[in-house]
């Protein structure tokens, strides 16, 4: 090793340093790629979360409700408490909307006087059924699948809401609301 020149020593130190930095930067990428294996499946993603008793949501009204994100970490604190809008259509049928505008995700507010959801960021407006009324959003509000079980309104909150249920998922929701077959 006595034949090592200053230039060769500097090169080896630089390569070692670059290798350490590369390994350090690769840790998040490796964790991301291995997360489905280490997480142990989809626990929480298929969770049904109670929003409360059906009597908390009067017929013909839209109310704000909150739930705890089922895939939250303990360190998430209050940010894991998520709001949603619950519309009781006729006492038996509900719609549960994500609070976020379909345009850029700003929180929408319900205005009962005009029976509209309004987005304060870019002027998006939605009718009471969640469909687009005006503004930049190209679609209606995102909806959660729901079911009524033992007098409690529950939503499937672990997955991302979609722009309204299709006919097939409405049928599935109707079947789930009726309960298991006798």
């Amino acid at each position: 090793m006595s034949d090592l020149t200053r230039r060769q020593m500097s090169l080896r130190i630089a390569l070692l340093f670059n290798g350490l930095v590369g390994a350090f930067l690769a840790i998040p990428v490796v964790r991301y790629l291995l997360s489905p294996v280490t997480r142990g499946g989809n626990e929480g993603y298929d969770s049904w979360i109670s929003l409360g008793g059906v009597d908390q949501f009067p017929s013909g009204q839209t109310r704000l409700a909150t739930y705890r994100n089922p895939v939250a970490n303990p360190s998430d604190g209050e940010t894991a408490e998520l709001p949603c809008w619950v519309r009781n259509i006729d006492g038996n049928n509900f719609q549960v909307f994500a609070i976020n505008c379909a345009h850029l995700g700003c929180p929408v507010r319900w205005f009962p006087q005009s029976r509209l959801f309004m987005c304060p960021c870019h002027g998006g407006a939605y009718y009471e059924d969640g469909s687009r009324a005006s503004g930049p959003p190209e679609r209606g509000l995102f909806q959660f699948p729901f079911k009524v079980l033992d007098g409690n309104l529950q939503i499937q909150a672990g997955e991302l809401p979609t722009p309204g249920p299709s006919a097939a998922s409405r049928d599935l929701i109707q079947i789930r609301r009726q309960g298991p077959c006798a």
Side-chain angles (χ1 to χ4, degrees), residues 103-124:
H103 177 228
L104 291 178
C106 294
V108 296
R109 289 190 51 206
W110 169 247
F111 291 89
Q113 313 87 316
S114 59
R115 305 195 67 76
L116 291 172
F117 291 100
M118 303 287 292
C119 177
C121 296
H122 300 104

Side-chain angles (χ1 to χ4, degrees), residues 10-11 17 51-52 58 68 74 80 88-90 94 99 107 112 120 128-129 131 145 156-157 168 174 178:
S10 296
L11 181 62
F17 179 74
L51 295 178
R68 182 148 181 93
N88 186 336
I89 300 170
D90 60 8
F94 293 87
I99 197 166
E128 66 183 333
D129 67 354
S131 62
Q156 193 171 16
Q174 185 66 23
Q178 294 172 354

Side-chain angles (χ1 to χ4, degrees), residues 58-81:
S59 180
Q61 291 188 20
T62 300
R63 294 268 172 101
L64 186 66
T66 60
Y67 65 93
R68 182 148 181 93
N69 187 344
V71 294
N73 295 319
S75 62
D76 291 340
E78 288 188 37
T79 61
E81 297 294 326

